[in-house]
């Protein structure tokens, strides 16, 4: 049985930052994540995509943000149960919880913080009869390692931000990038649309609209795709990779059966106080929760994690009064014996 003060379900950015905020309060954390490594979507889905709205970072790659958050947590020595999904939760008579994973690993915690992002993800797959035969043989729904496409021919299908962003990125990696969308209009950031237009004019991105990919060509691997363009006969485009980017379908998974109040596939919380759910002692922070005015942003998840940890401390230690000190004043004491603090002021007379 793994025991901890706060059990965090989800090791994405919000879950990782929770470790730091809890550590300032001397609370130990353990994280469960179905993915084989920490970082959530930032590590698994778009590690090479830049993020522009993290305070103090004009631009930072999602994977780099994850690495920095992990580094920030190290002095608080969090535990990890990776590659396992939180399956069941049982509330004990003393108000604590036992959470068991799909592999039978049991965790005993005083507080449970659900920071599972949008839940588990399944790619939305296009209705192409033989597409399943070519998965991992040239058909990829998520780009994990851009170098895989170095000097290769790539066909991207989709009309949103992911399709636009990856077409731009791969235009400097692949030997040939073709972007196919069933409409002429794209639903994405204006600067991305304008950049794709510029790259099309320069001959670095081939555009085929309005059109759809209707079939995959190849035997052991993808060698081409069959395309139907409105008003024209179907034709074949030679390619090494076909990347349909139609988004991901989020699912809460077993958490949806825990008796929590759910609204539109998200967990309702009390945002006026501490992001607690309808079950005392269980909190939901980050993209997994919902409340009036909710914004699904990483920086909002950081804020929610901070307030949640303060509430968790009061719940664990109802008779203790915590006096908050700025880290610039009080420093940071790690569970590993390390200490970070600002240099002491020098007392010296000026003659």
């Amino acid at each position: 049985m793994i025991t901890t003060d706060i059990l965090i379900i989800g090791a994405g950015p919000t879950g990782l930052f929770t470790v730091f905020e809890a550590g300032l309060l001397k609370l130990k954390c353990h994280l469960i994540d179905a993915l084989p490594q920490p970082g959530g979507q930032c590590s698994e889905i778009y590690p090479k995509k830049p993020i522009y709205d993290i305070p103090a970072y004009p631009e930072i790659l999602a994977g780099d943000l994850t690495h920095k958050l992990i580094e920030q947590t190290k002095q608080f020595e969090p535990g990890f149960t990776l590659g396992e999904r939180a399956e069941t939760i049982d509330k004990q008579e003393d108000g604590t919880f036992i959470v068991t994973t799909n592999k039978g690993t049991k965790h005993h915690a005083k507080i449970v913080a659900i920071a599972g992002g949008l839940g588990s993800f399944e790619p939305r797959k296009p209705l192409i009869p033989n597409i399943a035969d070519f998965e991992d043989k040239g058909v990829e729904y998520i780009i994990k390692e851009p170098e895989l496409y170095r000097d290769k021919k790539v066909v991207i299908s989709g009309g949103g931000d992911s399709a636009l962003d990856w077409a731009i990125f791969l235009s400097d990696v692949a030997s040939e990038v073709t972007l196919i969308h069933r409409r002429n209009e794209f639903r994405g950031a204006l600067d991305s649309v304008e950049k794709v237009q510029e790259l099309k004019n320069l001959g670095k991105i081939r555009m085929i609209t309005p059109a759809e990919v209707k079939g995959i060509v190849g035997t052991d691997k993808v060698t081409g795709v069959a395309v139907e363009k409105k008003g024209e006969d179907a034709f074949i485009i030679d390619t090494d990779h076909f990347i349909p980017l139609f988004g991901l379908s989020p699912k809460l998974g077993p958490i949806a059966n825990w008796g929590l109040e759910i609204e539109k596939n998200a967990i309702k919380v009390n945002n006026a106080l501490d992001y607690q759910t309808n079950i005392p002692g269980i909190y939901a922070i980050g993209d997994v929760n919902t409340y009036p005015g909710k914004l699904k942003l990483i920086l909002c998840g950081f804020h929610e994690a901070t307030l949640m940890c303060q509430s968790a401390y009061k719940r664990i230690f109802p008779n203790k009064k915590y006096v908050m000190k700025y880290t610039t004043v009080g420093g940071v004491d790690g569970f590993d014996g390390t200490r970070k603090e600002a240099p002491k002021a020098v007392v010296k007379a000026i003659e």
Side-chain angles (χ1 to χ4, degrees):
M1 179 89 71
I2 295 168
T3 59
T4 189
D5 292 318
I6 301 178
L7 181 66
I8 303 167
I9 299 173
T14 297
L16 290 171
F17 188 66
T18 303
V19 175
F20 177 79
E21 287 297 323
L24 294 179
L25 300 168
K26 311 298 183 189
L27 300 177
K28 289 285 291 183
C29 291
H30 190 93
L31 300 95
I32 299 175
D33 202 296
L35 297 175
Q37 72 283 320
Q41 296 178 60
C42 287
S43 293
E44 184 72 8
I45 300 175
Y46 50 85
K48 301 296 183 181
K49 282 187 72 173
I51 302 174
Y52 301 105
D53 61 352
I54 302 300
Y57 287 102
E59 176 180 339
I60 185 169
L61 295 181
D64 291 343
L65 174 64
T66 295
H67 293 319
K68 290 182 180 296
L69 285 165
I70 292 171
E71 187 68 28
Q72 191 177 30
T73 69
K74 281 184 178 177
Q75 66 189 125
F76 296 120
E77 301 179 322
F80 289 92
T81 299
L82 299 173
E84 300 185 31
R85 184 182 65 243
E87 195 80 13
T88 63
I89 188 167
D90 296 295
K91 192 166 187 175
Q92 307 302 294
E93 290 184 5
D94 61 357
T96 61
F97 302 90
I98 292 179
V99 175
T100 307
T101 70
N102 60 317
K103 295 185 179 179
T105 308
K106 292 185 179 294
H107 308 75
H108 187 202
K110 299 165 186 172
I111 298 291
V112 172
I114 302 171
L118 294 173
S120 57
F121 290 88
E122 294 179 6
R124 294 190 179 102
K125 302 179 182 182
L127 298 175
I128 297 174
N130 61 341
I131 194 167
D133 298 335
F134 293 95
E135 291 172 357
D136 298 321
K137 298 177 182 178
V139 171
E140 293 89 31
Y141 303 106
I142 297 171
I143 297 176
K144 296 180 183 178
E145 183 44 67
E147 281 300 312
L148 175 68
Y149 309 98
R150 175 70 62 183
D151 301 325
K152 303 288 187 181
K153 294 179 180 179
V154 177
V155 171
I156 296 173
S157 185
D161 282 313
S162 290
L164 292 165
D165 292 346
W166 281 118
I168 294 167
F169 188 94
L170 293 179
S171 67
D172 288 327
V173 176
S175 62
E176 182 180 293
V177 174
T178 302
L179 180 58
I180 298 173
H181 183 38
R182 58 195 177 94
R183 297 189 182 93
N184 291 318
E185 301 80 19
F186 287 82
R187 187 182 297 274
L190 179 59
D191 58 341
S192 296
V193 176
E194 291 176 344
K195 183 65 176 177
V196 168
Q197 178 70 61
E198 178 187 338
L199 291 169
K200 178 197 172 191
N201 295 343
L202 293 171
K204 297 193 71 175
I205 292 178
R206 178 186 182 188
M207 296 278 296
I208 304 178
T209 59
E212 292 184 71
V213 174
K214 291 293 188 178
I216 311 292
V217 179
T219 51
D220 295 331
K221 63 183 295 297
V222 172
T223 58
V225 292
V227 180
E228 286 187 7
K229 192 174 190 301
K230 193 172 182 179
E232 299 180 13
D233 294 333
F235 56 94
I236 304 296
I237 296 177
D238 292 336
T239 190
D240 301 300
H241 295 274
F242 172 49
I243 310 170
L245 297 174
F246 298 130
L248 298 166
S249 179
K251 298 183 184 300
L252 275 178
I255 291 174
N257 302 318
W258 287 6
L260 300 166
E261 193 173 353
I262 308 294
E263 183 179 284
K264 296 181 179 178
N265 209 42
I267 302 169
K268 288 186 72 173
V269 295
N270 174 8
N271 69 305
L273 186 61
D274 54 11
Y275 305 99
Q276 198 159 187
T277 68
N278 59 304
I279 300 177
I282 301 180
Y283 300 78
I285 52 177
D287 288 357
V288 76
N289 74 15
T290 185
Y291 53 83
K294 169 69 180 181
L295 292 177
K296 294 183 184 294
L297 298 172
I298 292 175
L299 62 92
C300 292
F302 291 165
H303 164 78
E304 293 166 11
T306 304
L307 297 188
M308 183 278 295
C309 286
Q310 295 288 324
S311 176
Y313 181 89
K314 293 173 186 174
R315 184 174 177 82
I316 295 171
F317 303 110
N319 299 319
K320 271 190 181 181
K321 185 177 180 181
Y322 173 72
V323 179
M324 192 193 81
K325 292 182 180 179
Y326 299 115
T327 55
T328 50
V329 175
V332 178
D333 292 303
F335 298 155
D336 56 1
T338 60
R339 177 170 173 77
K340 296 178 181 177
E341 61 181 334
K344 300 294 185 183
V346 176
V347 178
K348 190 177 189 304
I350 298 177
E351 299 177 358

